[in-house]
Amino acid sequence: MSAMDSDDDDPKTCYADELVKTFKFYLEKSGEHEAILETMQKVLPDDFERMVEGKNNLDILGIGSGGGQVDIQILNLLQEFCPGVSLSSDIVEGSSELVDDFKELVKNTPSLKDVPFTWHVMHSEGYVKRGRAKAQKDIKKFDFIHMVQMIYYVKNLDDSLLFYRRALKPNGRIMIIIEADGGGWDTLWTTFKKELLVGPNEEYRCSRDIVASLKKHGMEFEEHDIPNSFEVTECFDGNDSTGNCLLNYMTNRKNFREEFSTDVKNAMLDVIRYKCSTEKDGKIFFNSSLKMIVIYAK
């Protein structure tokens, strides 16, 4: 069972057309989802135990869920650690292509055949805007809200965090996964803010920005490390298609080799090589460490 709504005035997502393909390629290459799953399996069961106490049903909200790979793992973990509790899932994702991928994944996951889905084809900003237009009592509340690698694209961080915090049920949790303060992504994007922060990428954020906002608003939270790295040796061969595709994703460009000047390209490659990566057995590995931040309802 599923339902879907959309907002034609919403800016949707930064991932469309060629960038969707690049994003999918990166996920296959980086091992990022596997690293996230490993940490979720360690951290979330204790939170699920507290969250589910006294409840027969859990309402889940995924923000910027992409093709659904992490969402499926979260729902499977909930079924494993909260047996006998029914689930429902709302999904907010701006890319209709990725939503279609997600639906296909659900269709091919037997364990989810009884889980109802509601699809909101819109960016988080559109979802928050709709919610703020309602009276507080009419806003749908959730037991678990997750935002995996999406909060970079939220225009007003404080406003969004406050909205989603108010959308939690008692004992609810918000899980945010974002690039780690001081990691390779943070180093690359803060070094080249002028060149990289264009189009939909108006502001770069990492875990320190989320933590600062949560502290400012007195929210209770915990941080957990998600160590990860992926090989970027091919990025230093200008004729290697794998390396070029990775560089496109890492800089959010359709064609890294053509869209930057020679000086900027060389400077970026030097930073990636010498400040964001380590070398082992002649191969270069980019530090793609993440942080999991879990926010608690009072």
Side-chain angles (χ1 to χ4, degrees), residues 64-194:
S65 294
Q69 294 91 341
V70 175
D71 295 62
I72 297 296
Q73 298 289 353
I74 290 170
L75 292 170
N76 285 337
L77 283 174
L78 282 162
Q79 289 176 325
E80 178 182 353
F81 292 103
C82 306
V85 175
S86 61
L87 306 175
S88 67
S89 180
D90 279 55
I91 303 299
V92 176
E93 168 55 49
S95 167
S96 58
E97 181 179 341
L98 290 174
V99 168
D100 288 342
D101 288 348
F102 196 157
K103 289 180 179 179
E104 189 65 23
L105 190 56
V106 170
K107 188 186 304 183
N108 294 311
T109 306
S111 61
L112 301 180
K113 64 182 179 65
D114 295 324
V115 176
F117 283 80
T118 301
W119 308 92
H120 307 274
V121 186
M122 61 183 67
H123 193 277
S124 171
E125 303 289 344
Y127 187 82
V128 170
K129 180 181 177 181
R130 285 190 177 190
R132 290 205 175 281
K134 301 177 181 180
Q136 182 64 31
K137 63 181 179 63
D138 296 326
I139 296 174
K140 184 172 182 179
K141 300 295 182 70
F142 297 91
D143 299 285
F144 190 66
I145 300 173
H146 55 87
M147 310 177 193
V148 178
Q149 289 285 56
M150 59 71 55
I151 210 162
Y152 316 103
Y153 309 106
V154 168
K155 291 183 180 179
N156 189 316
L157 178 61
D158 288 352
D159 187 63
S160 293
L161 290 176
L162 287 168
F163 172 82
Y164 288 119
R165 172 61 184 79
R166 285 194 288 267
L168 279 183
K169 293 181 183 181
N171 291 325
R173 301 286 191 268
I174 298 174
M175 180 188 75
I176 297 173
I177 292 179
I178 189 170
E179 292 157 11
D181 180 6
W185 292 111
D186 183 29
T187 300
L188 176 63
W189 277 72
T190 53
T191 302
F192 295 99
K193 282 184 178 181
K194 178 182 176 182

Side-chain angles (χ1 to χ4, degrees), residues 187-207:
T187 300
L188 176 63
W189 277 72
T190 53
T191 302
F192 295 99
K193 282 184 178 181
K194 178 182 176 182
E195 292 81 7
L196 296 177
L197 294 178
V198 297
N201 300 315
E202 297 178 355
E203 183 178 357
Y204 173 76
R205 297 189 180 107
C206 69
S207 59

Side-chain angles (χ1 to χ4, degrees), residues 39-64:
T39 301
M40 289 196 305
Q41 290 171 328
K42 293 177 181 177
V43 173
L44 292 183
D46 288 343
D47 285 306
F48 289 164
E49 183 178 346
R50 300 184 191 98
M51 186 176 70
V52 77
E53 187 174 349
K55 299 174 182 177
N56 296 316
N57 178 77
L58 294 176
D59 292 306
I60 316 302
L61 174 62
I63 307 294

Side-chain angles (χ1 to χ4, degrees), residues 191-238:
T191 302
F192 295 99
K193 282 184 178 181
K194 178 182 176 182
E195 292 81 7
L196 296 177
L197 294 178
V198 297
N201 300 315
E202 297 178 355
E203 183 178 357
Y204 173 76
R205 297 189 180 107
C206 69
S207 59
R208 66 172 170 272
D209 303 293
I210 311 305
V211 167
S213 180
L214 296 177
K215 287 182 176 179
K216 180 169 67 174
H217 296 291
M219 298 189 204
E220 297 181 12
F221 67 95
E222 288 184 357
E223 293 182 77
H224 304 275
D225 293 328
I226 305 179
N228 194 44
S229 63
F230 62 94
E231 187 181 353
V232 293
T233 311
E234 304 97 328
C235 292
F236 303 94
D237 179 351

Side-chain angles (χ1 to χ4, degrees), residues 253-271:
R253 291 296 187 277
K254 291 184 178 180
N255 194 322
F256 169 83
R257 298 289 179 184
E258 294 183 1
E259 295 183 43
F260 295 107
S261 69
T262 300
D263 287 345
V264 169
K265 282 187 293 187
N266 289 339
M268 286 184 179
L269 288 168
D270 280 349
V271 167

